[in-house]
Amino acid sequence: MSESIYNLVPYEEPAQEKKHHRVTSKATKPVVPYSTFGCHGSTRLLGAGQVSKKDGAYFGPPKPESGLPRTYSPERSSSAERKTSESFSYTDRRKGVVPSKTDRPILGITTSKNFITANAVEAILQVPKRTKAPELNYMKKEDFGKVPSYLTQVKDEIRRENEMIERYVKQQMGEIERTPESFEELTQDERDDLLDALKSKWDYVNSQYQKFTHLVVLDTAGQIRRKEQYETALQQLETDIERLQR
């Protein structure tokens, strides 16, 4: 014991208590495989003594019996073997040994390589890099803001189809399609010739009309009808001549 001031104090060892040995019977008791609740007494409960014990019914899977060797699954066995094997270490991630301070570099190393030729050959054999395609600006296109040509063609096709459908419907309804009137502008020579022809016709109709002017009383219906026809023709010719002379 090491030196201590407590060694000077008298020490009394405590009295040891006597252990009382438990007396147990050496006779083996029979094992009851079912519950004995309610089986004693003059009145036996309904269903007493019928509950049997099952492995894993209440407290998980059955446990292995004591004294038997424990079995391992393949995964556990591989992990156990891995623990017993040598520790793993990386071999491809180790750096080189650090040179000592006494090591000297090798001097005077030369090469016969022609770097100019080597660089030229490397530049010739080098694969060109892929350049990014420029972004398309649709506002700078030639036909920007214009109606596409294919839309004009589609509109013409639709118009022709509608016209064909209208003609077919009119034919089925019995309607007669009339062609629109077309006019053609006359030249100056054709206009002068037409004006002369109208004037000569007016002279002829006027000479025929003068034959009825001296008659005061028209006796027949034919005379009255011819006189009215001459007056109407002269009036129409004068109107046409005035239009052409404008």
Side-chain angles (χ1 to χ4, degrees):
M1 295 178 65
S2 60
E3 294 182 358
S4 177
I5 193 171
Y6 291 102
N7 295 334
L8 300 176
V9 179
Y11 176 74
E12 295 180 359
E13 294 182 0
Q16 295 182 358
E17 296 180 358
K18 295 182 180 180
K19 295 182 179 180
H20 298 281
H21 297 284
R22 184 177 181 183
V23 180
T24 57
S25 178
K26 295 182 179 180
T28 57
K29 296 180 179 180
V31 179
V32 181
Y34 49 81
S35 176
T36 59
F37 177 78
C39 294
H40 302 283
S42 60
T43 303
R44 182 171 181 174
L45 300 177
L46 182 63
Q50 297 180 2
V51 179
S52 60
K53 184 179 179 181
K54 297 181 181 179
D55 293 337
Y58 302 103
F59 300 101
K63 297 181 180 180
E65 298 180 1
S66 60
L68 297 177
R70 188 175 180 181
T71 57
Y72 295 93
S73 61
E75 298 178 355
R76 293 182 178 180
S77 62
S78 61
S79 62
E81 293 176 0
R82 192 182 303 112
K83 290 180 180 179
T84 57
S85 62
E86 298 179 356
S87 60
F88 179 78
S89 61
Y90 292 99
T91 57
D92 56 341
R93 300 184 183 181
R94 291 177 175 270
K95 296 183 179 180
V97 181
V98 179
S100 62
K101 62 181 180 179
T102 58
D103 295 343
R104 293 183 179 181
I106 302 173
L107 304 176
I109 299 175
T110 59
T111 180
S112 60
K113 181 179 178 181
N114 189 349
F115 289 95
I116 298 175
T117 305
N119 292 339
V121 173
E122 185 179 358
I124 293 170
L125 299 178
Q126 187 177 8
V127 179
K129 295 181 180 179
R130 293 184 178 180
T131 57
K132 295 183 179 179
E135 297 181 358
L136 296 176
N137 189 358
Y138 294 97
M139 298 180 65
K140 294 183 179 180
K141 295 179 68 176
E142 295 181 357
D143 56 350
F144 177 75
K146 299 180 180 179
V147 179
S149 58
Y150 72 92
L151 289 180
T152 306
Q153 297 176 0
V154 171
K155 288 181 180 180
D156 294 339
E157 292 178 359
I158 294 172
R159 181 179 54 79
R160 288 195 296 269
E161 290 178 358
N162 293 334
E163 291 178 355
M164 183 178 65
I165 292 170
E166 289 178 0
R167 288 196 299 269
Y168 177 77
V169 172
K170 288 180 180 179
Q171 289 177 1
Q172 295 295 326
M173 298 295 292
E175 297 181 2
I176 300 174
E177 185 178 359
R178 296 180 180 180
T179 56
E181 297 180 356
S182 58
F183 301 95
E184 185 178 357
E185 187 176 358
L186 298 175
T187 60
Q188 187 65 28
D189 296 337
E190 293 177 349
R191 187 176 180 181
D192 295 340
D193 295 340
L194 181 59
L195 186 60
D196 294 339
L198 290 174
K199 288 180 178 180
S200 59
K201 187 176 182 180
W202 184 87
D203 293 338
Y204 173 75
V205 174
N206 187 28
S207 63
Q208 296 294 328
Y209 177 71
Q210 293 297 327
K211 294 179 181 180
F212 294 92
T213 55
H214 63 283
L215 297 175
V216 179
V217 179
L218 299 176
D219 299 332
T220 60
Q223 292 178 353
I224 297 172
R225 185 176 64 254
R226 282 195 294 272
K227 182 180 179 183
E228 291 177 354
Q229 290 178 353
Y230 290 144
E231 290 177 353
T232 304
L234 289 173
Q235 188 177 0
Q236 184 65 35
L237 289 171
E238 290 175 357
T239 304
D240 295 338
I241 292 170
E242 287 180 359
R243 288 181 178 177
L244 289 174
Q245 286 180 350
R246 290 178 183 177

